Amino acid sequence: MYNRPVAPPDLFSKNHCLVIDRLDCYILERKKEGEIMLKFLKDVVAGSVAGVKDLPYNIGEPYSSAWGSWTHSRGTSKVDGSSVSIFSLTGNNAGDGRLAAARNGVKRLRTVRHPNILSFLHSTEAEILDGSSTKYTIYIVTEPVMPLAEKIKELGLQGIQRDEYYAWGLQRIAKAVSFLNNDCKLVHGNVCLESVVITNTLDWKLHAFDVLSEFDGNNASAGPMLQYDWLVASQYKSMELEKSDWSSIRKSPAWAIDSWGLGCFIYELFSGLKLSKTEELRNTTSLPKSLLPDYQRLLSSMPSRRLNSSKLVENCEYFQNKLVDTIYFMEILNLKDSVEKDTFFRKLPTLAEQLPREIVLKKLLPLLASALEFSSAAAPALTPLLKIGAWLSPEEFNIKVLPTLVKLFASNDRAIRVGLLQHIDQYGEAFTPQVVDEQVYPHIATGFSDTSALLRELTLKSMLVLAPKLSQRTLSGSLLKHLSKLQVDEEPAIRTNTTILLGNLASHLNEGTRKRVLINAFTVRALRDTFSPARGAGIMALCATSSYYDALEIAARILPNVVVLLIDPDSDVRLKAFQAVEEFLQIVKQYHEKTNAGDSIELSSSGISSLPDNASILGWAMSSLSLKGKPTEHPPHLSASSSAPNISVVTNTSSVVADVQSTGLVRACSTADIVDQPAPESPTSTATDGWGELDNGIVTENDKDGWDDFMPLEEDSNPSPALASIQAAQKRPVAQTKPQGSNMRPKTTTHVSKNEDEDLWGSISAPPPKATSKSHNVKPSAASIDNDDPWAAIAAPPPTTRVKPLAAGRGRGSKPSPAPKLGAQRINRTSSGV
């Protein structure tokens, strides 16, 4: 016999134990997996039968009433804290009939879905030890609701508003009953006030499905059709149900039992009392007359003649009112054409004031927000949305309305964008700086370069509300680039308001950006504009921001440009120029007095107080543009009032925008002696703005229009003639230093005499004018401008109207000449000339 080799005893024993251990571990793992799978299947089949400790919801305070033996409590989710409602029913033993009926209700509520039926979320059945006995509790978790009777008392509606709201809610319950009877062939069995609950949006919903059963009209059996009909109180039972005449019930229509229950519900709703006996249904004093005929048909003694709940909704006059029609229109908004939508939304703001306020805020407002968010509603829906939103508290507005508005800014619908910008003052302050900078501004900024002048202007004006919430990076890196382009826009109103906006935003810019931008934008651009209100706006902006300029900048850069406008063709511009000159001279005089007094405190720390009138923000100079036409180049004159730097110009297209108030501006000045110190250079920065290369108002040979350090924003290769003329007018040099062409004044050599100090300005003085003065209405030739007009070097181009402004006669064709130089300039003497 063959003998198999045997392993050593110690080695065999070791391997054998290792195999047994691994096998045991494998069996244990598979057993655990089976238990987990079995538990999962039980949860799915039995509705999460895991016990109340494993219920993923917290149970709160109970309501005072609920249907049958159920307890209705408030609850919250353990996951996200959202509100829910929790219904619970407890039985003393597993064979309790109420538990069987409750399980039937859980199954039916889980499977039946309808907008007017309570939404099911979760269910659990738990065993709770109570001393020596065991109690069984079933939990149903649903959307957050409260008993209808309690909410009605809380609302406290009266008169027409109460009837409108009751009609809307009753219609919802009638539709739910009709769905069960006619579509599902189910019988609810116990429709009453306690079987109706109300949601946070004030929607009425049907529940209490414990008695719910199929309608078996074709069954000839004499057994009960409603297995748990004993749960229904006798006062809610129709005569055939009270007698348990199942044969008659099966021969009756499917809606017969629930139509009777619907009649009981209507009685309890309008009387405000719980039905105690069937005879009380005859008392109809509290019912509306328009509802009475249908109420009587619902409670007919003959089941076959009872009114179908679907007919109640379709034919009853009581359901035809403003609230029902309004909400119904919103629910089928996608089926309406654009004309019907526009008509409806234009009437809605007035209609909303007549409807119950609570229903409008909790039901109509969410429908409006949803319709706008998903593009079902057109731009006119913005007006009622904002009007209704204004009735909310700031906290509710931020939750219910603001997220919708943020999403709407990304819309490509131009009408939506115009509507948002037109009403920006109503909600703009509610935006947080982060939302504005990251979500709102990137979409709004596209309007700066839009082809529609109206959208460009509204975008510009919206910055008065939103710009203070922008970061310095966005202000200096993006917004100023757009404003630089708008200051040479073809629309004069936009150019004017761009200057005003920049003056209003000065306090939000950092010091380096202010020094690099403000003076150049207001003098080189605004004061040389061919549009007189734009020149006036430039003067007012300089005055409003005077607290940011030191004495040297005022004397060397501002006054020379403002003085020219003292003889401007426009009287309002002249008056503003005189006021500005007086104000800036007063500031310079303050500096002079402090310097002569030997004040050692630097003005940069103490500051020079500006006039009180300059503390107010500039108002919009021009009214809104119209899509039908453009404003003329010369609207009515600007107001010359000196009480506040508010410009009020009315164009022929729209009304004036109200002035905006602001707090005072703080200014820092330098104590450097104007005579002994050289002119300061403009601060340099890596950030580019449209005015960065304009230093002291003098354009160097490398300068073009002061905006070349910006990357162009959608710059047109072939600008329109109107835009080209504006750019040419505003991109001219201030002083000419090099002669070019035969028509220029010949260079003269000036010899310094011994008495040079007697005539310090001799080397740069302009030649004396001829005796005969030129009228502004006569267009001089090029030669006469150079020889006879001492202001030719800094004059503005001629306007498009017949009136000849002073600022005329300069172009970009000639290179600047070294002499003569006009304006306030420093004279650098050599030691030999002293």
Side-chain angles (χ1 to χ4, degrees):
M1 182 177 180
Y2 175 73
N3 293 326
R4 184 175 54 183
V6 180
D10 56 340
L11 180 62
F12 175 82
S13 177
K14 182 178 180 180
N15 292 338
H16 178 72
C17 293
L18 183 62
V19 172
I20 295 299
D21 291 341
R22 289 181 178 178
L23 182 60
D24 290 342
C25 292
Y26 177 80
I27 293 173
L28 290 174
E29 289 177 359
R30 300 287 77 78
K31 184 178 180 181
K32 289 181 180 179
E33 291 179 359
E35 291 176 352
I36 294 173
M37 181 60 68
L38 181 61
K39 181 177 180 297
F40 172 75
L41 293 176
K42 286 182 178 180
D43 291 346
V44 173
V45 176
S48 301
V49 184
V52 67
K53 292 184 179 179
D54 297 328
L55 184 68
Y57 299 92
N58 297 314
I59 303 176
E61 293 294 325
Y63 289 101
S64 59
S65 63
W67 181 85
S69 301
W70 287 91
T71 299
H72 181 188
S73 305
R74 301 171 179 87
T76 56
S77 171
K78 293 180 180 178
V79 178
D80 56 6
S82 58
S83 298
V84 296
S85 281
I86 300 177
F87 297 84
S88 60
L89 186 145
T90 302
N92 296 325
N93 54 75
D96 193 331
R98 294 179 303 161
L99 292 177
R103 294 187 185 99
N104 176 67
V106 172
K107 182 183 69 173
R108 298 294 187 179
L109 191 62
R110 182 190 293 118
T111 56
V112 177
R113 299 286 181 170
H114 189 268
N116 301 321
I117 291 178
L118 184 61
S119 298
F120 172 88
L121 298 178
H122 188 80
S123 67
T124 278
E125 185 172 346
E127 296 181 6
I128 302 174
L129 293 177
D130 185 10
S132 60
S133 63
T134 302
K135 292 186 177 181
Y136 301 86
T137 304
I138 296 177
Y139 295 93
I140 303 177
V141 183
T142 68
E143 60 181 317
V145 291
M146 68 181 299
L148 178 61
E150 293 188 21
K151 190 62 179 181
I152 288 175
K153 293 179 180 179
E154 181 182 314
L155 292 175
L157 298 175
Q158 299 293 333
I160 297 177
Q161 290 191 347
R162 188 201 72 159
D163 289 341
E164 289 181 344
Y165 181 55
Y166 282 6
W168 175 58
L170 181 57
Q171 184 190 60
R172 293 299 191 267
I173 299 303
K175 286 184 176 180
V177 173
S178 175
F179 171 75
L180 294 176
N181 298 157
N182 300 301
D183 298 333
C184 302
K185 300 302 179 182
L186 297 172
V187 178
H188 184 279
N190 193 20
V191 178
C192 60
L193 189 64
E194 289 184 344
S195 64
V196 178
V197 289
I198 187 170
T199 66
N200 294 332
T201 56
L202 302 183
D203 289 300
W204 295 17
K205 296 205 172 184
L206 184 65
H207 78 121
F209 284 178
D210 294 12
V211 188
L212 188 71
S213 302
E214 289 85 0
F215 178 76
D216 54 349
N218 298 325
N219 190 353
S221 174
M225 188 177 71
L226 302 181
Q227 185 178 358
Y228 306 104
D229 66 296
W230 49 270
L231 289 172
V232 182
S234 60
Q235 65 267 27
Y236 298 113
K237 289 184 177 181
S238 59
M239 290 181 292
E240 67 275 13
L241 185 59
E242 179 70 21
K243 297 176 182 179
S244 298
D245 188 358
W246 300 112
S247 177
S248 176
I249 291 174
R250 287 186 171 92
K251 294 178 181 178
S252 303
W255 61 81
I257 293 177
D258 288 340
S259 292
W260 180 276
L262 196 57
C264 298
F265 169 68
I266 293 174
Y267 171 82
E268 291 183 323
L269 178 64
F270 286 95
S271 66
L273 302 172
K274 185 175 180 180
L275 184 64
S276 59
K277 54 185 178 179
T278 307
E279 289 74 14
E280 293 177 354
L281 295 172
R282 299 181 182 274
N283 185 4
T284 61
T285 55
S286 60
L287 270 66
K289 293 182 179 180
S290 58
L291 186 59
L292 185 57
D294 291 317
Y295 169 78
Q296 293 172 340
R297 293 181 62 189
L298 288 171
L299 298 173
S300 175
S301 58
M302 298 180 62
S304 59
R305 299 184 61 181
R306 287 178 193 155
L307 181 65
N308 190 340
S309 53
S310 63
K311 301 297 182 182
L312 175 68
V313 175
E314 296 173 0
N315 301 329
C316 185
E317 181 184 351
Y318 178 71
F319 297 108
Q320 300 175 5
N321 60 59
K322 292 179 292 186
L323 178 63
V324 173
D325 294 341
T326 301
I327 297 178
Y328 178 71
F329 188 97
M330 289 296 303
E331 291 177 341
I332 61 170
L333 192 62
N334 288 329
L335 304 179
K336 302 295 182 179
D337 58 34
S338 59
V339 176
E340 290 177 309
K341 291 180 182 179
D342 289 349
T343 304
F344 172 78
F345 288 123
R346 295 185 192 282
K347 294 180 180 179
L348 188 56
T350 303
L351 184 61
E353 296 179 352
Q354 305 171 11
L355 300 176
R357 180 64 57 89
E358 194 79 10
I359 293 103
V360 171
L361 292 178
K362 292 190 175 181
K363 179 62 180 179
L364 196 57
L365 182 62
L367 289 175
L368 266 174
S370 178
L372 279 167
E373 187 174 340
F374 295 102
S375 302
S376 300
L382 275 173
T383 302
L385 176 72
L386 294 174
K387 181 173 182 176
I388 297 173
W391 299 341
L392 297 170
S393 64
E395 294 76 13
E396 290 179 322
F397 183 86
N398 293 343
I399 296 174
K400 297 181 179 180
V401 179
L402 217 56
T404 299
L405 297 177
V406 172
K407 293 178 182 178
L408 288 178
F409 275 105
S411 174
N412 294 325
D413 188 345
R414 183 171 289 176
I416 291 286
R417 294 168 61 192
V418 168
L420 288 170
L421 296 175
Q422 284 176 333
H423 301 92
I424 191 73
D425 57 319
Q426 298 182 25
Y427 60 87
E429 294 297 334
F431 285 136
T432 62
Q434 183 179 4
V435 169
V436 173
D437 203 56
E438 298 178 1
Q439 301 181 48
V440 176
Y441 176 78
H443 298 295
I444 289 183
T446 60
F448 286 117
S449 55
D450 197 274
T451 56
S452 170
L454 175 62
L455 193 55
R456 293 200 306 275
E457 188 200 30
L458 291 175
T459 304
L460 175 71
K461 290 185 175 182
S462 69
M463 289 299 106
L464 190 62
V465 178
L466 300 180
K469 299 178 181 292
L470 295 176
S471 63
Q472 281 296 321
R473 179 178 181 180
T474 305
L475 276 173
S476 303
S478 176
L479 180 58
L480 290 183
K481 291 181 180 180
H482 292 293
L483 296 184
S484 69
K485 185 174 181 180
L486 290 183
Q487 212 177 16
V488 292
D489 194 272
E490 61 183 4
E491 288 289 344
I494 294 179
R495 301 199 303 271
T496 305
N497 286 332
T498 303
T499 300
I500 292 174
L501 175 65
L502 190 59
N504 289 336
L505 299 183
S507 61
H508 303 286
L509 302 174
N510 58 46
E511 184 179 358
T513 304
R514 285 197 296 261
K515 286 184 173 296
R516 190 173 63 249
V517 168
L518 295 184
I519 296 181
N520 292 324
F522 296 151
T523 59
V524 178
R525 285 281 177 85
L527 297 187
R528 300 179 182 181
D529 200 292
T530 58
F531 190 49
S532 60
R535 299 195 296 275
I539 298 173
M540 302 303 283
L542 284 170
C543 294
T545 58
S546 61
S547 55
Y548 299 117
Y549 315 130
D550 57 35
L552 182 59
E553 290 174 323
I554 292 173
R557 303 179 63 187
I558 296 178
L559 280 174
N561 288 282
V562 176
V563 166
V564 180
L565 300 181
L566 294 175
I567 52 174
D568 191 272
D570 189 280
S571 61
D572 286 337
V573 176
R574 293 197 300 271
L575 289 175
K576 288 180 174 60
F578 276 108
Q579 296 166 11
V581 169
E582 292 176 0
E583 176 181 338
F584 287 120
L585 283 177
Q586 181 178 345
I587 297 175
V588 176
K589 286 179 181 179
Q590 292 178 9
Y591 174 83
H592 168 70
E593 293 172 357
K594 290 189 177 183
T595 303
N596 286 348
D599 191 352
S600 60
I601 302 176
E602 292 187 358
L603 296 180
S604 59
S605 61
S606 62
I608 300 177
S609 60
S610 60
L611 298 182
D613 289 342
N614 295 337
S616 61
I617 284 293
L618 297 171
W620 294 123
M622 307 303 298
S623 62
S624 298
L625 296 170
S626 173
L627 293 176
K628 296 181 180 179
K630 298 180 181 179
T632 60
E633 286 289 327
H634 293 277
H637 293 310
L638 293 170
S639 172
S641 173
S642 61
S643 61
N646 292 330
I647 305 174
S648 56
V649 175
V650 182
T651 63
N652 58 348
T653 57
S654 169
S655 60
V656 180
V657 179
D659 294 338
V660 182
Q661 299 300 324
S662 174
T663 57
L665 304 177
V666 180
R667 175 170 60 91
C669 302
S670 172
T671 57
D673 192 333
I674 298 180
V675 178
D676 297 332
Q677 298 295 332
E681 297 180 358
S682 299
T684 59
S685 174
T686 56
T688 58
D689 51 61
W691 303 270
E693 295 181 356
L694 293 172
D695 187 13
N696 294 331
I698 300 176
V699 182
T700 62
E701 293 183 1
N702 295 330
D703 291 335
K704 295 183 180 180
D705 61 355
W707 300 90
D708 295 335
D709 50 354
F710 267 153
M711 293 301 293
L713 300 175
E714 302 179 5
E715 195 69 37
D716 297 333
S717 59
N718 297 318
S720 63
L723 181 59
S725 63
I726 295 168
Q727 292 174 339
Q730 297 185 348
K731 297 179 181 179
R732 61 182 181 277
V734 177
Q736 298 178 351
T737 58
K738 294 182 180 181
Q740 182 176 356
S742 59
N743 60 341
M744 300 299 295
R745 184 183 295 110
K747 182 177 180 182
T748 59
T749 304
T750 304
H751 299 282
V752 181
S753 62
K754 295 180 180 180
N755 297 328
E756 185 186 56
D757 293 338
E758 298 178 1
D759 187 9
L760 298 178
W761 300 94
S763 62
I764 62 171
S765 60
K770 293 186 178 181
T772 58
S773 61
K774 299 290 183 179
S775 173
H776 289 300
N777 296 328
V778 180
K779 184 177 181 181
S781 62
S784 63
I785 291 176
D786 290 335
N787 297 328
D788 303 332
D789 187 2
W791 300 96
I794 60 173
T800 57
T801 60
R802 298 180 180 178
V803 180
K804 177 70 176 180
L806 176 67
R810 283 195 301 163
R812 293 175 52 89
S814 60
K815 295 183 179 180
S817 59
K821 293 183 178 179
L822 301 181
Q825 302 183 21
R826 179 168 179 80
I827 303 175
N828 296 321
R829 305 190 190 90
T830 61
S831 59
S832 61
V834 177

